Amino acid sequence: MEEGGSTGSAGSDSSTSGSGGAQQRELERMAEVLVTGEQLRLRLHEEKVIKDRRHHLKTYPNCFVAKELIDWLIEHKEASDRETAIKLMQKLADRGIIHHVCDEHKEFKDVKLFYRFRKDDGTFPLDNEVKAFMRGQRLYEKLMSPENTLLQPREEEGVKYERTFMASEFLDWLVQEGEATTRKEAEQLCHRLMEHGIIQHVSNKHPFVDSNLLYQFRMNFRRRRRLMELLNEKSPSSQETHDSPFCLRKQSHDNRKSTSFMSVSPSKEIKIVSAVRRSSMSSCGSSGYFSSSPTLSSSPPVLCNPKSVLKRPVTSEELLTPGAPYARKTFTIVGDAVGWGFVVRGSKPCHIQAVDPSGPAAAAGMKVCQFVVSVNGLNVLHVDYRTVSNLILTGPRTIVMEVMEELEC
């Protein structure tokens, strides 16, 4: 499916009015900040703006200098001037995404102070809304994988809707995927997702019921946002538009009161940003870091040591020697909204340097120290990690990787 694609939303005016509408807009704003902040964090790690720093004989891991970051934002056209850059970072600070390393400054200042993303030190508070958002994002990514056919165009009461799922089939799928142990537990999960505005009935007429009724994800977790858009707060009375990161907007055609829905195709800008986010999967500097999740996870940071994790050098010839103590394994990894969740290093052969425990690669069974044999059927035993990384980044979201793993003695 296309990245950045969107499906239809409920057509009822009640979905965007009153306290329920205000709560939904606030959730969307929170989600927008979370996603955009994670995009920025990964880019800063990639370009080594975030790194370990020393001050007064003390080392502060994974932090950035406020003044340097503002320079970076202006240089990369993420902010037009220093005042705007400060407002952008203050927005992230107010949402608890970044903080001063010693929590001595509440305001983001254009000076040589150290700040850090809470994702990098595990201090981000996981309230119920954030947990629901994270759960919804994971389910959405699973459903959007090419192998999954649960989301389909369907009709209800004579109206056709895009990317819908039938309640009863969705509950079966949740149990099958291990997201719930029983149908009752799966139904309770759906009620929570609905309460937080993540899923909804296609016409917003029914609560979640184990039935043949059709539902959709209200939020499009794959839609990318520009950093400057964090400052564009919507007024409580404003209607959703295509620019909304999660709105699944109802469309009308030929001046008729149609309740059909239109998929939003990704723009060139979205595709470019996607490539930038995906490129973080292979970048690992002196204090490199990689995460595959666009949301804030409760899992500890994945630190990528620049030194090889291998105990000793291994050649391609050694791997291919008959009777060598290595076993071949094949993984199919579906990238999420940011990447695939692993770091490739080394040369001839490359190896897996780090794996995000909460990422798609870990879920597929990938581990550190495995040697990369092929990517999407192409042998890569005799190339370096840059070539392998480029092959992955320019390929499809779903990758098939063959690796060789040393057998335990």
Side-chain angles (χ1 to χ4, degrees):
M1 293 198 180
E2 292 180 325
E3 289 186 31
S6 178
T7 58
S9 127
S12 170
D13 291 337
S14 63
S15 64
T16 56
S17 63
S19 60
Q23 181 181 9
Q24 174 62 28
R25 285 190 292 274
E26 175 58 25
L27 178 60
E28 290 182 0
R29 282 195 288 267
M30 177 197 72
E32 179 180 354
V33 176
L34 291 178
V35 174
T36 309
E38 181 67 358
Q39 279 186 335
L40 177 63
R41 186 183 70 84
L42 292 175
R43 289 178 65 191
L44 295 178
H45 272 291
E46 180 180 347
E47 300 195 22
K48 300 180 178 62
V49 178
I50 293 177
K51 57 186 178 181
D52 295 353
R53 300 175 185 271
R54 289 182 62 82
H55 181 67
H56 290 168
L57 303 179
K58 182 176 180 180
T59 299
Y60 296 86
N62 291 323
C63 63
F64 59 88
V65 179
K67 185 177 180 62
E68 292 179 4
L69 178 59
I70 291 176
D71 293 337
W72 185 91
L73 291 174
I74 295 175
E75 178 185 350
H76 288 75
K77 303 186 186 306
E78 292 289 350
S80 56
D81 51 56
R82 304 191 78 81
E83 182 180 357
T84 302
I86 292 173
K87 289 180 180 179
L88 287 169
M89 298 313 296
Q90 187 62 50
K91 186 82 169 182
L92 297 183
D94 292 341
R95 290 286 183 170
I97 293 177
I98 64 170
H99 68 121
H100 179 252
V101 291
C102 298
D103 290 317
E104 295 177 355
H105 301 275
K106 297 296 182 182
E107 295 183 359
F108 190 86
K109 302 178 180 180
D110 186 4
V111 294
K112 292 184 178 180
L113 287 175
F114 292 170
Y115 289 82
R116 183 185 293 129
F117 280 79
R118 291 191 180 275
K119 175 72 179 289
D120 285 338
D121 58 19
T123 60
F124 189 85
L126 295 176
D127 58 24
N128 289 334
E129 286 188 343
V130 174
K131 289 179 181 178
F133 173 80
M134 292 167 56
R135 190 74 176 274
Q137 187 273 338
R138 186 171 76 243
L139 295 175
Y140 184 85
E141 288 298 336
K142 282 187 175 183
L143 290 170
M144 290 289 283
S145 68
E147 295 82 6
N148 196 298
T149 58
L150 199 62
L151 297 182
Q152 294 285 342
R154 295 182 176 90
E155 287 189 9
E156 186 171 292
E157 296 183 353
V159 178
K160 186 173 182 179
Y161 302 90
E162 297 294 326
R163 295 185 190 174
T164 69
F165 58 85
M166 189 178 297
S168 58
E169 293 180 357
F170 189 52
L171 295 178
D172 291 336
W173 179 81
L174 288 171
V175 175
Q176 179 183 341
E177 289 293 311
E179 295 289 344
T181 56
T182 63
R183 288 183 66 84
K184 184 178 180 180
E185 183 181 324
E187 190 170 1
Q188 290 173 345
L189 170 59
C190 292
H191 286 307
R192 289 197 299 274
L193 294 177
M194 201 161 186
E195 288 171 3
H196 289 284
I198 296 172
I199 64 173
Q200 64 187 14
H201 179 251
V202 289
S203 62
N204 209 27
K205 294 180 178 178
H206 302 280
F208 190 89
V209 181
D210 185 357
S211 63
N212 292 336
L213 290 173
L214 301 182
Y215 296 83
Q216 294 172 314
F217 272 77
R218 177 175 172 81
M219 292 188 174
N220 179 359
F221 291 93
R222 288 186 173 181
R223 180 70 180 270
R224 270 65 172 183
R225 302 296 284 167
R226 291 181 58 83
L227 193 60
M228 280 292 294
E229 294 179 32
L230 291 181
L231 300 181
N232 298 333
E233 292 284 359
K234 300 173 187 174
S235 63
S237 61
S238 66
Q239 295 296 317
E240 302 294 353
T241 69
H242 281 302
D243 292 331
S244 169
F246 307 111
C247 173
L248 311 180
R249 190 167 181 260
K250 182 177 69 174
Q251 299 296 314
S252 295
H253 303 282
D254 302 326
N255 297 321
R256 291 175 299 180
K257 293 182 178 180
S258 169
T259 53
S260 61
F261 299 92
M262 183 179 75
S263 294
V264 180
S265 298
S267 65
K268 292 182 180 179
E269 179 182 359
I270 292 175
K271 290 181 178 179
I272 292 171
V273 174
S274 171
V276 171
R277 296 183 69 187
R278 285 191 179 190
S279 67
S280 65
M281 59 78 62
S282 61
S283 298
C284 180
S286 59
S287 58
Y289 177 94
F290 175 73
S291 170
S292 72
S293 177
T295 56
L296 296 167
S297 170
S298 58
S299 61
V302 183
L303 297 178
C304 177
N305 193 322
K307 296 181 181 179
S308 175
V309 295
L310 301 179
K311 296 179 181 178
R312 62 179 181 83
V314 175
T315 65
S316 300
E317 291 72 21
E318 182 179 347
L319 289 177
L320 299 175
T321 301
Y326 297 97
R328 286 182 181 251
K329 293 187 176 182
T330 302
F331 304 121
T332 299
I333 307 170
V334 181
D336 61 16
V338 177
W340 295 267
F342 64 94
V343 175
V344 177
R345 302 301 285 176
S347 177
K348 304 179 183 180
C350 302
H351 63 272
I352 305 302
Q353 175 78 1
V355 179
D356 182 346
S358 62
M366 182 174 284
K367 301 176 182 177
V368 297
C369 297
Q370 292 173 333
F371 297 96
V372 185
V373 176
S374 68
V375 176
N376 293 331
L378 183 64
N379 189 295
V380 295
L381 276 173
H382 301 287
V383 299
D384 62 14
Y385 76 91
R386 292 181 179 85
T387 303
V388 173
S389 298
N390 186 62
L391 182 63
I392 294 172
L393 296 174
T394 57
R397 178 175 290 272
T398 299
I399 58 174
V400 178
M401 290 187 63
E402 184 180 17
V403 303
M404 295 192 78
E405 179 179 283
E406 187 171 11
L407 297 173
E408 296 181 1
C409 298

